[in-house]
Amino acid sequence: MAYRKILELQILAPHSYFSVNQIFELISYFPPDSSAGYLRLQVIISLFSHIVDLENMYLIFDNVLSFDERNELFHRVGIMNVLDPMRPERLYRLDLRRNDHREWVKILVYLATNDPGGVWEEVEYRWGKYDEPVPGWTLPSTWTRADDGGVNGGPRNFGWLQVRYRCQTRVGVATALGARKVMRKRTLAGMKRAVL
């Protein structure tokens, strides 16, 4: 029955556009269990190209989806298409072999070095997904340089990075919206869209 409803949505979608709040409402009718075939994700993916306010995807991403569903959405749609650098505060587990994950790491590095309150917490680097974390690992200075494929500049093109990006807001320190706006242009949320 659920698959039939998704099929109906797919048939109707080419003629409709949706806000994130409407997508939020639609996915509430589907089970969150990943063993059910990621039905909620199938709804999001089916309607993704018809979402008019992608900058608000964080509402679904942070408040509705499970960790497994988030990772599956990254895999199917791409992290650069789903997330917005204007709201980077969350925990990430990134596979540096994937180009879009490396690009997101570059955004996080840029924000951490240009956002006055931006900090990396809970940082772990692993050589492989199932390896133990490298003890005492810190952000290499080469990652802040221009990317040359991870040799002398930019993030490595292998390994797994876990990091929680957090913005410490304190008196006299404001979030650098300028740095976030610069990075936003590199993502789908920052692209100009036709007004409907």
Side-chain angles (χ1 to χ4, degrees), residues 29-194:
Y29 296 113
F30 292 88
D33 188 10
S34 61
S35 65
Y38 291 114
L39 294 173
R40 298 189 315 177
L41 285 186
Q42 290 184 36
V43 171
I44 294 170
I45 292 165
S46 296
L47 304 177
F48 191 78
S49 64
H50 294 270
I51 297 174
V52 295
D53 56 344
L54 287 173
E55 63 275 5
N56 294 325
M57 274 298 290
Y58 74 93
L59 294 169
I60 293 174
F61 188 82
D62 289 337
N63 300 319
V64 178
L65 300 182
S66 69
F67 181 74
D68 287 338
E69 287 174 318
R70 291 175 192 174
N71 286 332
E72 189 64 23
L73 188 62
F74 283 169
H75 176 71
R76 293 187 189 189
V77 178
I79 193 169
M80 299 292 285
N81 295 326
V82 175
L83 296 182
D84 182 358
M86 296 300 285
R87 299 185 185 273
E89 293 86 0
R90 69 182 51 85
L91 178 67
Y92 300 94
R93 287 194 181 95
L94 302 165
D95 180 357
L96 299 180
R97 297 171 301 170
R98 297 189 53 195
N99 188 51
D100 59 334
H101 286 219
R102 287 185 76 246
E103 290 300 317
W104 191 258
V105 169
K106 288 187 224 176
I107 288 173
L108 293 177
V109 168
Y110 183 85
L111 292 179
T113 57
N114 291 286
D115 196 347
V119 293
W120 282 23
E121 297 176 339
E122 302 174 40
V123 180
E124 288 183 355
Y125 179 81
R126 300 169 188 261
W127 297 110
K129 184 175 185 177
Y130 302 106
D131 292 343
E132 291 295 317
V134 175
W137 189 88
T138 58
L139 176 66
S141 63
T142 56
W143 286 27
T144 61
R145 297 184 197 142
D147 191 9
D148 66 356
V151 179
N152 295 313
R156 295 181 178 117
N157 56 9
F158 58 88
W160 286 76
L161 177 69
Q162 172 183 295
V163 61
R164 178 177 299 280
Y165 185 85
R166 190 166 68 86
C167 186
Q168 296 176 334
T169 53
R170 52 188 191 269
V171 177
V173 176
T175 301
L177 291 179
R180 293 181 180 206
K181 287 178 181 177
V182 166
M183 291 293 104
R184 186 180 213 194
K185 292 177 184 175
R186 300 174 70 181
T187 67
L188 188 60
M191 302 298 284
K192 290 184 180 181
R193 291 182 294 279

